Amino acid sequence: MPNYSLLAALAAVASVTSLVHAVSSQAYTWKNVKVGGGGGFVPGIVFNPKEQGLAYARTDIGGAYKLNAATDTWTPLLDFADDSTWNYWGVAALATDPVQTNRLYLATGGYTNSWDPKNGNILISTDKGSTFTASPLPFKVGGNMPGRGIGERLAVDPNSNGILFFGAASGNGLWKSTDFGVTWTQVTSFPSVGTYAPDPKDSSGYNSQLIGIAWVTFDSTSGTAGSATPRIFVGVANQGSSNIFVTTNGGTTWSAVAGQNTTYLPHKGVLSPAEKVLYISYSNGAGPYDGTLGSVMKYDLATSTWTDITPVTGSDLTFGFGGVTVDLKVPGTIMVAALNSWWPDGQIFRSTNSGASWSPLWSWQSYPTMNKFYSYSDSLAPWLGPNFVDGTPGDLQIGWMMESLNIDPFDSNHWLYGTGATIYGGHDLLKWDTIHNVSISSLADGIEETSVQAVLSPPTGPTLISALGDIQGFVHEDLTKAPTVNWINPKWSTTADLDFAGNKPTNIVRIGTGDSTQGKQVALSYDSGNTWSQDYGAADNVTGGKVALSADGDTVLWRTNGNGVLVSQFTNPFAAVSSLPSTAAIASDKLNNSIFYGAAVNTFYLSTDGGKTFASKASLSSSTSPAKVIVNPKVSGDVWVSTDKGLFHSTDFGTSFTAISGISAAWAIALGAPKSSTSYPAIFAAANIGGIGYFRSDDMGVNWVKINDAAHGFGSASSNCISGDPRIYGRVYIGTNGRGIFYGDASGATPPPTSTASSTSATSKSTTSVSTTTSKNTSASTTTASSTTIASSTTTSSPPTSTGTAGAYGQCGGSNWTGPTTCVSGYKCTFSNDFYSQCVPA
Ligand SMILES: *[C@@H]1O[C@H](CO)[C@@H](O)[C@H](O)[C@H]1NC(C)=O
Ligand SMILES: *[C@@H]1O[C@H](CO)[C@@H](O)[C@H](O)[C@H]1NC(C)=O
Ligand SMILES: *[C@@H]1O[C@H](CO)[C@@H](O)[C@H](O)[C@H]1NC(C)=O
Ligand SMILES: *[C@@H]1O[C@H](CO)[C@@H](O)[C@H](O)[C@H]1NC(C)=O
Ligand SMILES: *[C@@H]1O[C@H](CO)[C@@H](O)[C@H](O)[C@H]1NC(C)=O
Ligand SMILES: *[C@@H]1O[C@H](CO)[C@@H](O)[C@H](O)[C@H]1NC(C)=O
């Protein structure tokens, strides 16, 4: 065991407050941990009508994807989005150019309320999404707002493809570009910005947002190639007043389409050019969760007449309509999806006579037996299957939130539709019309859209355990295979956090964020997360937050969401811990069952009585919001705290802290396997070290290497979670908010530790130049030799010297250390812990 009093004494002198060092980059190979099946809402799928096999899907929080038609797989397009461009991952609309099919446009932005401070962009690609240029919009775009499944709000003129229209939300109206999306101006002659908001009284601004312009549909038949299409239809989220408008002069003047029925909101307007018909789906809510009534209408362009072709009526109509599609190769064949048929299952209808009659994807044989006119396969995402939705009435096997429904314009057998959980589709759709039985499979391979709440790579057992939004979480035995089951007993839609017991690492705790049928939101596993028992010490309806499991696994410390900090030993009723603030980051010691740690505002807290009481320890400088406390699994009292003001290290249970030099803020942090058996664990951090990125240090935070690259930005840094792999040196897991889990392995050489002697760089802080052009590189990683000087200081350090003498801040001792044990002039070898001694200024 370490000598605690010696550690405390030495920590006080080992204060590394100012040094100049450099951050180099190390090439990493990044891959998704395969969950398979998407794992989230796919509000839009768009096929290019002119190039076979070209299609894209957009998501609300995880960017956009391109279809690889030959393999039924998808490639992510926006993985370059980083902390400064995280809102690119909210894709509110998508348009693929029907003339120059290489061109792709995405309308991006997170939220139109205060949750996203930034305006939206039109991302322009001329190479099918390999690279993008951003065209900033003067207003916000809400890729994850109510109404995000309606559309598409963005459209390219099929006769003159430099012309685009974009329908904005929030009262911003209709916008037009005539230069391939580079510049935009509002169409001031357009008569409506939309008056519908799901809940005008919502003070958060989320449900009170005006849904705005719903969709833009060019009538390609009204024009000729090379000239602007004269007739354009635009749907607007109005209920009870005109909601479909038309221009016949390319957008100069507009009028409400005569004879329209304004009872419901128009969700989609899809042209059948051969029929000269516009098919429109309606719902009485903006979606994606709502809709209890709706209709399907057809508007005949030649006769200007409307026909109600709603597939069901009366008491059978308990939903609105979302996705609608036409078979371009077989005019008159159309399909429409119930937006949300919550019971007994989703529903899709198909007509081969332009809506005169319909057949459903399932019908009642005699209650509760359903005729399922389909076979169902979840082989690519087995967790979607029996345990998640087993197809018994109420389990929504077909899906929900079905706003995107598409028949491949080049292949009448190929169809895809998006749901709240995945993309389904098949390759034998014409069998609907013959034997009335089609094959439906999860076809979202490559889409990893989960919102990751926590990742845990334990020292024994499975490689990884994940806590996910909406789909509970998984034990990942094989990172390349979709797991078969998610956590069902107990099942809470979102797992908020996880922890393991240091001395019994197969003991895991997880907490949930609410499921009315399983009120107690704490569960314990003794077999690495494979089976669980509910912790009956938890009160009903106490949920969320963060959790820590004591070293021996018998005590759960729980910083709840809204009910303060609670602790329970031996699954006894949880008791309030009043001495730890309700905002605290928490952690357990991994060796000593009595010890827990906390950090709130600028104070570190220690409990030595199993979490019952906490005492204030040292201050964390001027921090206001600690993000994470992590603990060296081999040394009690050796803790790291990330905060909005940097990264802090203590080796004496928080009695004193060292601020790590050069780090202005840090979020997720984790320890992983050490570089050698004698080194300190590798430290991983999402941090600002001369710029926001992901970094690793192999020497207790003295030198850092940047491990992410321009192609891997991981979105919002503060939203992400990290776990180091305790068994594989260099391996790190990054859980994102919308792009699933990545794992990275070093693929390039470790740069030499560089405590550079750049004494001349007084206050330099170089950052990447800002440009509106961002590009991604889909190849695994690039080996870069960039070096950014990140700290300024009056103190300079010496370069490392030859063996025999350790350089400034170099290792000079530790259990089994065979390297130099003396330091360069001006430095002295200082014991940090049993495993590490370091050269610090004398
Ligand atoms: C308009 O649509 C609603 C809902 O489908 C229907 O009840 C009503 O009869 C329609 N109005 C007219 C005039 O057709
Ligand atoms: C459709 O085919 C599947 C697979 O063969 C079968 O399980 C199902 O019962 C069929 N549906 C009907 C209504 O016959
Ligand atoms: C938990 O919440 C549910 C739903 O709001 C409520 O019906 C139930 O009474 C609550 N239980 C307790 C113990 O408060
Ligand atoms: C664990 O910590 C407690 C509280 O500081 C201490 O009394 C005890 O000796 C420690 N146990 C071990 C095995 O170090
Ligand atoms: C040091 O070496 C001994 C003997 O080879 C070994 O048992 C021990 O595990 C090593 N310690 C560390 C920390 O690697
Ligand atoms: C992508 O990276 C690879 C390998 O690092 C490089 O050869 C290639 O030129 C890059 N492509 C682009 C478009 O930058």
Side-chain angles (χ1 to χ4, degrees):
M1 292 298 290
N3 177 328
Y4 296 123
S5 58
L6 179 61
L7 281 174
L10 288 169
V13 299
S15 162
V16 182
T17 51
S18 58
L19 79 153
V20 174
H21 61 176
V23 176
S24 355
S25 300
Q26 183 175 17
Y28 256 65
T29 301
W30 295 101
K31 295 177 181 162
N32 267 123
V33 172
K34 198 175 194 73
V35 167
F41 180 38
V42 181
I45 300 170
V46 182
F47 278 87
N48 189 291
K50 289 285 148 55
E51 181 174 325
Q52 183 158 9
L54 183 59
Y56 302 92
R58 62 177 172 93
T59 74
D60 47 7
I61 57 169
Y65 294 80
K66 179 174 176 291
L67 178 69
N68 307 302
T71 52
D72 276 340
T73 60
W74 300 86
T75 299
L77 301 180
L78 298 176
D79 281 0
F80 63 86
D82 63 15
D83 194 71
S84 65
T85 52
W86 65 265
N87 77 356
Y88 288 2
W89 281 359
V91 186
L94 187 159
T96 168
D97 190 322
V99 180
Q100 290 173 291
T101 58
N102 283 350
R103 291 185 182 271
L104 168 69
Y105 301 88
L106 308 175
T108 62
Y111 301 89
T112 58
N113 64 352
S114 62
W115 302 348
D116 180 356
K118 292 190 177 173
N119 282 340
N121 283 283
I122 302 293
L123 300 187
I124 303 166
S125 175
T126 55
D127 53 13
K128 297 179 180 169
S130 290
T131 60
F132 288 93
T133 303
S135 169
L137 293 169
F139 48 80
K140 292 183 184 182
V141 170
N144 197 27
M145 294 295 283
R148 58 196 179 272
I150 63 176
E152 293 295 311
R153 301 165 183 257
L154 186 60
V156 179
D157 190 322
N159 289 306
S160 180
N161 66 322
I163 297 173
L164 286 89
F165 283 85
F166 174 60
S170 315
N172 290 308
L174 183 68
W175 289 68
K176 182 181 184 183
S177 171
T178 56
D179 56 5
F180 298 93
V182 176
T183 60
W184 293 83
T185 49
Q186 189 169 2
V187 183
T188 50
S189 62
F190 191 74
S192 175
V193 298
T195 56
Y196 179 85
D199 176 7
K201 295 199 185 89
D202 179 3
S203 59
S204 76
Y206 187 67
N207 281 303
S208 56
Q209 176 210 228
L210 295 176
I211 303 300
I213 311 298
W215 45 265
V216 177
T217 302
F218 287 90
D219 175 8
S220 55
T221 69
S222 71
T224 51
S227 308
T229 300
R231 185 154 57 190
I232 309 163
F233 293 90
V234 175
V236 181
N238 290 325
Q239 210 168 231
S241 63
S242 294
N243 55 28
I244 298 179
F245 297 87
V246 65
T247 176
T248 52
N249 50 26
T252 307
T253 58
W254 299 83
S255 57
V257 176
Q260 64 181 286
N261 185 320
T262 64
T263 305
Y264 305 127
L265 303 170
H267 274 232
K268 305 269 168 182
V270 174
L271 183 76
S272 176
E275 296 181 90
K276 282 190 177 266
V277 163
L278 188 66
Y279 291 99
I280 299 157
S281 60
Y282 293 86
S283 177
N284 66 350
Y289 310 106
D290 58 14
T292 54
L293 283 171
S295 62
V296 183
M297 303 287 286
K298 112 178 174 183
Y299 180 66
D300 187 314
L301 305 185
T303 62
S304 302
T305 53
W306 290 90
T307 310
D308 186 336
I309 55 168
T310 310
V312 287
T313 54
S315 61
D316 290 338
L317 185 58
T318 57
F319 42 79
F321 293 90
V324 57
T325 184
V326 303
D327 186 339
L328 288 175
K329 294 184 76 87
V330 187
T333 290
I334 60 176
M335 293 170 75
V336 64
L339 172 53
N340 285 300
S341 170
W342 293 113
W343 193 91
D345 202 343
Q347 183 62 288
I348 296 175
F349 302 92
R350 181 172 166 97
S351 170
T352 54
N353 53 15
S354 309
S357 61
W358 297 88
S359 66
L361 190 51
W362 60 266
S363 67
W364 289 113
Q365 188 181 88
S366 59
Y367 179 83
T369 308
M370 296 159 75
N371 292 315
K372 296 179 179 181
F373 304 112
Y374 63 92
S375 60
Y376 175 86
S377 167
D378 55 29
S379 62
L380 294 177
W383 58 268
L384 275 171
N387 294 298
F388 192 70
V389 283
D390 67 7
T392 54
D395 274 352
L396 301 173
Q397 188 175 52
I398 291 171
W400 61 97
M401 294 159 72
M402 285 146 58
E403 289 269 35
S404 54
L405 170 65
N406 301 76
I407 301 172
D408 186 333
F410 291 87
D411 180 356
S412 300
N413 269 317
H414 183 208
W415 64 305
L416 294 171
Y417 68 96
T419 77
T422 189
I423 291 174
Y424 284 126
H427 288 281
D428 61 2
L429 184 55
L430 289 173
K431 286 189 179 166
W432 191 313
D433 309 328
T434 53
I435 60 171
H436 196 188
N437 200 316
V438 297
S439 311
I440 295 177
S441 307
S442 167
L443 293 178
D445 195 13
I447 294 182
E448 293 290 340
E449 200 201 333
T450 49
S451 169
V452 186
Q453 309 299 303
V455 279
L456 169 57
S457 181
T460 58
T463 305
L464 187 71
I465 304 175
S466 62
L468 302 179
D470 297 336
I471 59 168
Q472 298 89 51
F474 298 98
V475 174
H476 304 268
E477 300 282 357
D478 181 344
L479 303 179
T480 66
K481 284 210 175 83
T484 47
V485 288
N486 49 1
W487 294 325
I488 48 171
N489 186 23
K491 174 176 174 172
W492 315 300
S493 62
T494 291
T495 302
D497 199 18
L498 296 164
D499 195 23
F500 74 101
N503 295 330
K504 297 181 180 174
T506 57
N507 289 23
I508 313 283
V509 64
R510 70 174 156 110
I511 53 171
T513 59
D515 181 316
S516 51
T517 62
Q518 313 225 27
K520 299 180 190 307
Q521 309 281 318
V522 182
L524 294 160
S525 172
Y526 307 102
D527 58 6
S528 302
N530 288 303
T531 61
W532 296 89
S533 355
Q534 201 148 34
D535 183 340
Y536 287 96
D540 284 345
N541 298 342
V542 176
T543 69
K546 296 289 171 192
V547 72
L549 187 58
S550 68
D552 296 342
D554 60 33
T555 304
V556 176
L557 182 69
W558 184 14
R559 196 269 283 157
T560 67
N561 185 8
N563 288 281
V565 183
L566 307 173
V567 70
S568 159
Q569 190 176 25
F570 304 126
T571 72
N572 284 310
F574 276 82
V577 181
S578 56
S579 46
L580 189 61
S582 60
T583 57
I586 58 171
S588 58
D589 193 77
K590 293 299 167 199
L591 300 170
N592 187 320
N593 198 51
S594 307
I595 297 180
F596 284 96
Y597 309 96
V601 195
N602 68 342
T603 304
F604 189 79
Y605 295 84
L606 176 70
S607 172
T608 56
D609 61 2
K612 292 190 195 69
T613 59
F614 281 79
S616 306
K617 303 294 281 184
S619 94
L620 300 161
S621 184
S622 57
S623 301
T624 66
S625 57
K628 190 88 183 157
V629 177
I630 58 168
V631 185
N632 185 339
K634 298 213 170 101
V635 185
S636 286
D638 182 347
V639 297
W640 297 78
V641 185
S642 57
T643 82
D644 56 330
K645 292 290 160 32
L647 180 61
F648 299 85
H649 184 206
S650 173
T651 54
D652 57 7
F653 298 88
T655 303
S656 64
F657 276 94
T658 299
I660 302 303
S661 172
I663 304 187
S664 58
W667 298 278
I669 50 175
L671 296 176
K675 187 168 188 182
S676 75
S677 61
T678 57
S679 351
Y680 193 82
I683 308 162
F684 297 95
N688 189 336
I689 308 182
I692 293 174
Y694 297 77
F695 302 88
R696 192 190 73 242
S697 172
D698 296 330
D699 57 6
M700 293 180 70
V702 178
N703 290 286
W704 294 87
V705 291
K706 188 164 190 269
I707 58 173
N708 68 311
D709 54 43
H712 300 93
F714 305 120
S716 168
S718 63
S719 302
N720 293 347
C721 48
I722 295 184
S723 183
D725 192 310
R727 289 170 280 186
I728 304 172
Y729 164 68
R731 164 77 64 85
V732 64
Y733 305 88
I734 299 179
T736 69
N737 182 25
R739 259 293 283 135
I741 310 162
F742 289 85
Y743 63 106
D745 286 303
S747 55
T750 313
T754 48
S755 294
T756 63
S758 52
S759 52
T760 54
S761 61
T763 53
S764 79
K765 180 175 179 178
S766 71
T767 52
T768 320
S769 65
V770 179
S771 131
T772 56
T773 302
T774 44
S775 61
K776 84 180 238 296
N777 189 331
T778 49
S779 66
S781 274
T782 49
T783 306
T784 54
S786 66
S787 187
T788 309
T789 302
I790 53 109
S792 63
S793 153
T794 52
T795 309
T796 61
S797 58
S798 314
T801 59
S802 59
T803 51
T805 308
Y809 304 103
Q811 185 171 2
C812 56
S815 161
N816 295 353
W817 171 249
T818 57
T821 54
T822 56
C823 300
V824 291
S825 172
Y827 290 77
K828 69 173 178 187
C829 188
T830 305
F831 177 88
S832 283
N833 58 51
D834 280 358
F835 308 103
Y836 198 86
S837 296
Q838 187 183 24
C839 295
V840 300

